[in-house]
Every structure is written in structure tokens, then in C-alpha cells.
Amino acid sequence: MGLISEIMCKHTYQGNPLPPNIVFIAACNPYRQGEKNIMKNAGLNVKEAHQELKNLNQKEIENLEKSAKNNLVYTVNPLPHSLLNYVFNFGNLTKEDEEKYISSMILEPIMRTSPLSKGKNIEEEEIKEEIKKNKDFSSIHLLAKDMISSAQQYIRDKNDISSVSLREIRRFNIFYEFFYDYLKKRKEIYEDENNIQFYEEDNEFYKNLDDYLIQAYGINLSIFVCYYLKITNKEQRNGLLQKLNELFKKFDKSFEDKDFLDLPKKEELFIVNNIKLNKGIAKNRALLENLFSIFVSINNKVPIFIVGKPGCSKSLSVQLITKSMQGNVSESLFFKSLPKILVHSYQGSLASTSKGVENIFAIARNVYKSLKQDDKKNNISLIFFDEMGL
């Protein structure tokens, strides 16, 4: 920190002047204590990993205990006093500003999936205006904005101010476009009478989906993955569900008797029913949620961290998904239409090093590069970190 301070404040490096055409800009996360500890008891307490602790020397154990007592929102060092004179605190976005950001960020993916934009260049201003005036489009856009804003504010109120950010909106956009295509594919599956394997009691639900409903349910599933699954506390989940249901039911008259969790639960069951489970594996809530969230994240190449105590199906879920998603040699007809997963595992421990992590990335990258160009889109190179918390 002293060297950084010298470089930025004095424009010298160990007393040697730096060229005048070099300018330094820095962004700093705040050095502050967390008011609330999100998911405090969700994962493994490293201090109780007795087998791992045996491999550490006394200094490493002391550093571990020191970091465990640290309740900082970010793992950062306090800034030197000389640097504080140059710091500008931009604070946080106001609720109104964040809503404007949300409204603007979700506009493009919703426009892309709107029937009005099919076959047109959505960058053209006149097309944007035409879509904005459309009642269905405005309704879909408002539903997404209100549900995201409500979820962001709720999670912030119940946890820490840093527990959600604009990154969630970016993930929402990715998942929304995925679920739009996913639900269209589900509709096609049920419309094809040859796909007897997929038929279930409510197949009429998918057959009756139009573009408008597919957009609405795409928002439903995206909010579920981005926000609802993020919460571990049962009471907090129920609180968020109540807020989301109020918006969901107000969206359209036909939604008055719907529940926000109806479709997510249906899709969780659909995924698990297309996976071969060994005897003794129960379809409990943890397994269903893990399988669904992993499935969605892998297909969108979005990193996912599954945090939980031993025995809550974390590793099992990854193994089941990777064994099931084998491209055109998959047992399930549904998974045959999806890419094959190439798994590269890394076992985490307190002795893990950055070099080991770099090596597994290099292996995954080289395996993907070795594929033929036509095969690359049909394969996903996946890195699975087991016991990453250690």
C-alpha cells in the first residue's frame, strides 16, 4: 500500500520520477464492517475442517483465524492517509437511479424477443419507438422492471447493501433470453405427438403458450434463478415470494390465480425426471434446486457457486448433470438436443495454490481448442471446483 501511495501521490517509484505522461486511476471498495452477515451459517466452517488443519503450520492457522474474525464487506486493506486526500466517495445509487438503470438494461433483450422486432434491425430508433408504443411490450417491460427492482430492494433490506448489484441485471438478461428460447422449445416438444416421452398431465399449458406468455414466464424463471434461489432463509424466501406474487398476479387478469413458483417447480421436476437417479436418491428440494440452477448456468456459461453444509447434494447434483448432458449420446431425448459437457475437476483444500487453479484452466482451454470448429458449439468445457471454500 505504501508503494501504491508513493506512485499515485508523489509520481515516483522508490524515489525515481515516473514519466509525466503516465496517469493513475484507481477504484476502491469501501473498508467497512458488514451490518448483516448474508448466509452466515450456509457453508462449512473452515476452522472445523480438522483434517485440513493438520497440514498447516502455526502461522497459517493464525492467519486463518484472523480472517475468520474479519467481518468486512470486502477483503480490503485500509487506505493510507496520503491517499485519502484524493478519494471521492460516489456512494450508492439511489432507488430512482437504479430503476432507470434497470429499465434501460433490460430493454434490449425484451425488444429482441418481441414479435414486433422479428426480422428487423432493433438498433433503428423508429423500430424502438414502434415497440415502446405496443401495449404488450410495455406490459412485459414493466413486469420485468418492477420484479427486478422489488427483488433487489428486498434482498438488500434483509442482508447487506452489497448483497446485490447491477450485475444481477446483467445475469437476468442472459437468463431471460435463454428461458425464452427454452420455453419455445418446450412448446415444440409438446406439439410434436411423437414425443410421447415428454407428455405429462399439464402438457396443454405448453401447447397454449404464445409469444406474450413465453416472455412473461421467461421473466418468471429468470427472477427465480437470479433472486429467489439466492436466499437460504425460509422466512426471507416467503417474504420475497409474497412481493413477487403481488406483481405477478397484477400483470394480467389470467394470472390472478397463478403462483410465482408454479412454473419453476414444474421445470425443476422436468429436469430431474430426465435424469437417471440411482436408488436411494430422493427428489428433495435441495436436489431439485441444485440440478435446475446448475443446468441453467452451464447452458449459459454463467459461473455458479453452490454453498451449503455437507450432505445437501452439491457434488451429487454436478455429477448427475454432467453424466446426463452427453450431447447426442444422452439417454434422455431432451438432453440429446443440448451440448455435451467436458468436465475438468479440481479438488480444493487449504493447501490449494493459484498455480493449481491456473493449470486446470489451461487444461480446460486446451481441450476445447483441440475440438473441430463444428464440434465447439456442441461441447461445453466445464471446470468443477469441489470444496472451493477450503
Side-chain angles (χ1 to χ4, degrees), residues 98-345:
E98 184 176 65
E99 286 185 358
K100 289 177 183 176
Y101 270 105
I102 293 169
S103 179
S104 177
M105 290 172 71
I106 64 175
L107 186 61
E108 188 174 334
I110 293 177
M111 285 170 60
R112 240 194 315 265
T113 56
S114 171
L116 294 174
S117 66
K118 295 296 181 341
K120 300 177 182 178
N121 180 5
I122 62 170
E123 296 299 322
E124 296 177 13
E125 289 301 320
E126 58 269 27
I127 295 175
K128 289 185 179 182
E129 289 303 315
E130 178 188 345
I131 293 176
K132 284 180 182 178
K133 293 174 185 175
N134 182 271
K135 183 180 178 182
D136 287 350
F137 174 81
S138 300
S139 179
I140 291 290
H141 184 240
L142 183 63
L143 174 68
K145 180 182 76 70
D146 287 349
M147 291 189 101
I148 293 172
S149 299
S150 181
Q152 292 258 126
Q153 191 59 46
Y154 181 84
I155 291 177
R156 232 182 240 125
D157 290 343
K158 295 296 181 181
N159 298 282
D160 189 88
I161 194 170
S162 306
S163 54
V164 287
S165 69
L166 293 179
R167 294 185 184 92
E168 267 69 35
I169 293 92
R170 169 64 181 146
R171 278 191 286 272
F172 169 88
N173 287 347
I174 295 170
F175 292 144
Y176 169 75
E177 293 198 65
F178 167 77
F179 281 124
Y180 178 82
D181 293 332
Y182 171 86
L183 290 173
K184 288 189 75 171
K185 187 181 292 186
R186 294 277 271 127
K187 177 180 170 69
E188 292 166 4
I189 286 171
Y190 287 103
E191 287 176 336
D192 185 351
E193 295 185 2
N194 294 321
N195 293 325
I196 305 293
Q197 173 188 353
F198 291 102
Y199 270 45
E200 52 192 44
E201 292 180 6
D202 56 359
N203 61 71
E204 290 300 319
F205 169 82
Y206 295 96
K207 285 184 179 181
N208 294 330
L209 290 177
D210 55 23
D211 273 321
Y212 179 65
L213 291 175
I214 289 175
Q215 284 184 295
Y217 283 118
I219 294 169
N220 178 194
L221 290 169
S222 303
I223 295 289
F224 174 75
V225 175
C226 278
Y227 296 100
Y228 184 82
L229 292 182
K230 192 183 183 85
I231 300 174
T232 57
N233 182 284
K234 187 177 179 180
E235 289 184 9
Q236 289 186 19
R237 276 194 170 190
N238 290 336
L240 178 61
L241 178 60
Q242 184 178 346
K243 285 182 172 293
L244 295 175
N245 257 330
E246 289 174 5
L247 297 168
F248 197 59
K249 292 174 184 290
K250 281 196 312 183
F251 165 67
D252 191 280
K253 286 185 178 179
S254 63
F255 279 57
E256 289 177 356
D257 59 341
K258 307 284 184 186
D259 188 272
F260 176 82
L261 291 180
D262 285 347
L263 186 58
K265 287 181 177 178
K266 200 177 296 183
E267 293 305 329
E268 286 179 344
L269 284 172
F270 176 76
I271 296 300
V272 77
N273 288 339
N274 278 278
I275 292 175
K276 187 176 180 181
L277 300 181
N278 295 329
K279 287 184 178 180
I281 298 178
K283 296 179 183 178
N284 56 30
R285 181 177 62 83
L287 182 69
L288 292 176
E289 291 182 357
N290 287 347
L291 286 174
F292 186 64
S293 54
I294 292 170
F295 167 78
V296 173
S297 297
I298 288 175
N299 280 284
N300 288 284
K301 300 181 179 66
V302 172
I304 180 171
F305 292 78
I306 300 182
V307 183
K309 294 180 178 180
C312 60
S313 308
K314 301 187 299 298
S315 299
L316 173 63
S317 302
V318 176
Q319 292 165 8
L320 290 172
I321 284 287
T322 52
K323 284 175 69 175
S324 301
M325 285 186 66
Q326 291 299 307
N328 54 17
V329 296
S330 302
E331 290 188 30
S332 162
L333 183 60
F334 175 71
F335 285 127
K336 282 181 184 291
S337 64
L338 297 170
K340 178 181 179 180
I341 297 176
L342 308 173
V343 187
H344 311 280
S345 298

Side-chain angles (χ1 to χ4, degrees), residues 1-12 24 79-84 86:
M1 292 302 293
L3 182 59
I4 293 172
S5 181
E6 179 196 350
I7 289 172
M8 297 193 72
C9 298
K10 297 182 179 179
H11 216 78
T12 61
F24 297 97
L79 292 176
H81 287 289
S82 54
L83 269 179
L84 287 176
Y86 299 94

Side-chain angles (χ1 to χ4, degrees), residues 52 315 345-349 352 384-388 390:
E52 290 287 337
S315 299
S345 298
Y346 183 85
Q347 184 64 42
S349 73
S352 297
F384 170 44
F385 288 96
D386 201 6
E387 301 296 356
M388 193 177 193
L390 293 174

